Amino acid sequence: MKYCVRCLYPANHPLNISFDDDGVCSGCRIHEEKDSLNWNFREKKLKRILFSYKNSAKENYDCIIPVSGARDSYFIVDTIKRLYGLNPLLVTYNKQYNTPLGIRNLAYLKTIFDCDLLTLTVNPEIVKKVTRITLQEMGSIYWHCIAGQTVFPVQIAVRFKIPLIIWGVHQGCDQVGMFSHLNEVEMTGKYRKEHDLMGYEAEDLIAKYNDLKFEDVRPFIYPNDKEIEKVGVRGIYLSNYIRWDSKKQHEDMIKIYDYRTTEQTRTFDTYNDVDCFNYSDVHDYIKYLKWGFGKVSDHATREIRLKRLTREEGIEKVKLYQKKKPKYLKLFLNWIGITESGFNFLIDRFRDQRVWERDKTHQWRLKDSILNHINDNGVLKTRLEKYADCIFQVTERLGPKLKGDGYILIGKGIGQT
Ligand SMILES: [Zn+2]
């Protein structure tokens, strides 16, 4: 397998990746723009877009921000509401894999920023039914989360006639350099289906599974083009206008707003996705079983590009986390009602044969991994000079019953303990 000589990404990255003559991947090359673009100019562009959507008559919200109890939510709301003075409607799709910390962070988010929040919680039995199907069809326990969180804001935009949706980072751009920042790509139903949803819209699932009904998947159905055009809905990504640095942004939020973080099972990043017990756990373990690399490679790659880890330090992190077994597999299996061997059978069908093979005893074996590519040709020539350390904070752990962390859901989410 070919691996980028600068970061840790393999040629079989599911979002598609290419390499130049030096062996550097498309993601690393696009990332170089972060140090060459005029971000002041880009931010002015953002301001112009935002102000053109400001509803000065105050008859409606100015925009929609999709949020969760983690992943850049505080930063995005802080930027849009405090810095630019827009009045956003926050929307959240309830993933139902919530950690207490995620519930706490989300409750504080709406309180601190004094925002209205709309939540969609789909009937848990329907979520289980859909998840059993997506596990079988595409080896995913996360399809419902991604489908829900990418569609609910669009449905609300159409229904409430709020044309502007503000997202954080564009993953295809940030990870594999699918687009330049200068393309200013916006949200599309096509990208959502092809990449976020692994090629499956809700309608495709109904067509294939007789016991799945239209009413089961209604919450996951993307509004049609006519509805979108009528309101003029568009979704912009802040990462095209602001030099995106998730670690630094989270640290600012910890300092200013007491955003809380925690250790995660399969990665060293303690900031992103702390709201979900499956994301950096069972879901990420599945990613590893499919593609031969996990979230730790994504996070180490990001830190290498931002010059806080050397490539060698990144590989050490991968060594430490990549093979770790998930903590919450039993919990998940009980919830969905599948045995561990049934789970393994379902996932094994999706292992990428370019990196996985069975040995003589029929056990799965990684044919290749970044650990075999520490000294590849071109590593020295293309390396980035590290300029800072890479330390992720774990904030003090306070439970809901402990004094000083009263997030009982009263009013806008804060009460007394
Ligand atoms: Zn790379």
Side-chain angles (χ1 to χ4, degrees):
M1 176 72 64
K2 191 173 171 49
Y3 288 80
C4 176
V5 292
R6 179 178 287 171
C7 74
L8 310 184
Y9 276 149
N12 72 333
H13 192 297
L15 288 177
N16 296 326
I17 202 161
S18 59
F19 298 92
D20 66 13
D21 293 343
D22 291 328
V24 174
C25 79
S26 41
C28 282
R29 287 303 183 206
I30 289 295
H31 198 276
E32 288 173 2
E33 292 180 358
K34 286 199 183 179
D35 294 327
S36 64
L37 291 178
N38 180 343
W39 290 103
N40 279 338
F41 171 76
R42 304 209 57 70
E43 214 169 327
K44 277 187 193 137
K45 245 182 145 174
L46 171 67
K47 250 191 215 170
R48 274 204 298 276
I49 298 173
L50 294 177
F51 290 157
S52 71
Y53 284 93
K54 208 162 164 43
N55 190 320
S56 35
K58 296 191 188 306
E59 289 160 334
N60 201 349
Y61 300 96
D62 299 323
C63 60
I64 285 177
I65 305 180
V67 297
S68 68
R71 184 84 80 97
D72 302 312
S73 298
Y74 277 56
F75 176 75
I76 300 168
V77 179
D78 181 57
T79 303
I80 297 304
K81 178 141 189 185
R82 188 191 54 79
L83 198 60
Y84 294 120
L86 267 68
N87 178 29
L89 172 62
L90 310 185
V91 301
T92 191
Y93 171 80
N94 181 352
K95 294 190 281 281
Q96 309 198 15
Y97 303 149
N98 303 311
T99 60
L101 188 64
I103 295 169
R104 180 262 175 211
N105 280 342
L106 185 58
Y108 271 91
L109 173 72
K110 58 186 169 172
T111 312
I112 291 166
F113 293 101
D114 198 16
C115 284
D116 296 342
L117 171 77
L118 261 184
T119 304
L120 173 67
T121 302
V122 177
N123 174 347
E125 291 311 312
I126 299 292
V127 168
K128 279 185 208 180
K129 189 172 170 185
V130 169
T131 302
R132 268 184 224 112
I133 284 174
T134 59
L135 197 51
Q136 182 174 339
E137 186 63 27
M138 60 196 101
S140 176
I141 69 164
Y142 228 69
W143 184 92
H144 87 87
C145 304
I146 297 169
Q149 72 207 16
T150 52
V151 81
F152 183 51
V154 187
Q155 292 167 342
I156 293 302
V158 166
R159 207 174 307 158
F160 284 31
K161 301 188 173 54
I162 307 168
L164 183 64
I165 304 176
I166 297 170
W167 301 92
V169 64
H170 189 287
Q171 276 217 334
C173 182
D174 210 51
Q175 291 194 0
V176 297
M178 200 179 283
F179 310 100
S180 158
H181 298 88
L182 296 170
N183 293 141
E184 295 171 16
V185 292
E186 301 197 355
M187 163 194 87
T188 65
K190 188 170 174 280
Y191 180 94
R192 172 180 178 267
K193 176 178 177 175
E194 285 174 8
H195 301 289
D196 294 335
L197 303 185
M198 295 160 273
Y200 291 89
E201 279 289 359
E203 290 91 329
D204 302 318
L205 296 175
I206 324 176
K208 211 165 165 187
Y209 293 84
N210 288 336
D211 59 333
L212 199 63
K213 303 276 177 281
F214 178 80
E215 53 267 34
D216 294 339
V217 296
R218 199 192 337 250
F220 304 109
I221 290 180
Y222 207 74
N224 64 43
D225 289 349
K226 250 196 191 151
E227 292 173 297
I228 288 178
E229 271 166 34
K230 206 172 150 201
V231 180
V233 177
R234 66 189 281 208
I236 63 167
Y237 293 89
L238 285 186
S239 60
N240 287 326
Y241 305 96
I242 293 172
R243 186 183 183 277
W244 205 256
D245 182 343
S246 176
K247 179 172 181 289
K248 186 189 171 301
Q249 289 160 195
H250 276 108
E251 279 160 6
D252 290 344
M253 297 302 106
I254 292 169
K255 215 188 300 167
I256 308 171
Y257 300 113
D258 194 23
Y259 172 77
R260 297 273 170 90
T261 69
T262 190
E263 274 165 7
Q264 303 206 60
T265 318
R266 293 182 35 82
T267 180
F268 60 94
D269 179 335
T270 58
Y271 301 164
N272 277 286
D273 309 301
V274 295
D275 59 332
C276 179
F277 58 81
N278 278 330
Y279 189 85
S280 301
D281 199 272
V282 179
H283 174 59
D284 184 50
Y285 189 60
I286 292 175
K287 174 183 165 109
Y288 169 64
L289 298 182
K290 282 179 172 175
W291 305 104
F293 74 97
K295 272 297 339 141
V296 62
S297 289
D298 294 328
H299 293 154
T301 286
R302 190 191 65 207
E303 294 305 312
I304 290 167
R305 291 171 179 171
L306 287 164
K307 303 174 193 165
R308 288 187 290 251
L309 281 183
T310 63
R311 191 170 180 273
E312 294 72 24
E313 288 168 338
I315 293 174
E316 280 304 310
K317 301 268 188 211
V318 170
K319 218 186 216 172
L320 203 61
Y321 287 102
Q322 179 160 276
K323 288 184 177 168
K324 273 201 176 170
K325 288 269 159 61
K327 258 194 211 161
Y328 299 111
L329 184 59
K330 271 217 167 79
L331 184 68
F332 172 74
L333 295 175
N334 284 341
W335 176 78
I336 199 154
I338 296 178
T339 61
E340 193 168 342
S341 58
F343 173 83
N344 289 335
F345 170 78
L346 288 173
I347 299 300
D348 284 348
R349 299 170 308 142
F350 296 97
R351 293 207 194 223
D352 185 344
Q353 310 274 321
R354 287 172 290 180
V355 283
W356 289 103
E357 65 182 2
R358 287 201 194 259
D359 64 16
K360 283 175 194 150
T361 61
H362 220 57
Q363 297 300 307
W364 286 103
R365 195 184 76 85
L366 256 188
K367 284 198 263 190
D368 203 359
S369 101
I370 187 70
L371 308 185
N372 303 328
H373 296 268
I374 301 172
N375 297 313
D376 279 4
N377 276 342
V379 167
L380 284 179
K381 195 180 142 206
T382 58
R383 77 158 59 248
L384 298 171
E385 278 315 310
K386 176 178 153 176
Y387 83 99
D389 286 331
C390 183
I391 297 160
F392 278 81
Q393 303 169 30
V394 175
T395 58
E396 190 186 355
R397 285 176 218 177
L398 286 180
K401 289 192 178 128
L402 292 173
K403 222 175 162 191
D405 196 16
Y407 68 86
I408 294 171
L409 306 178
I410 295 172
K412 284 206 168 186
I414 191 160
Q416 298 297 317
T417 48

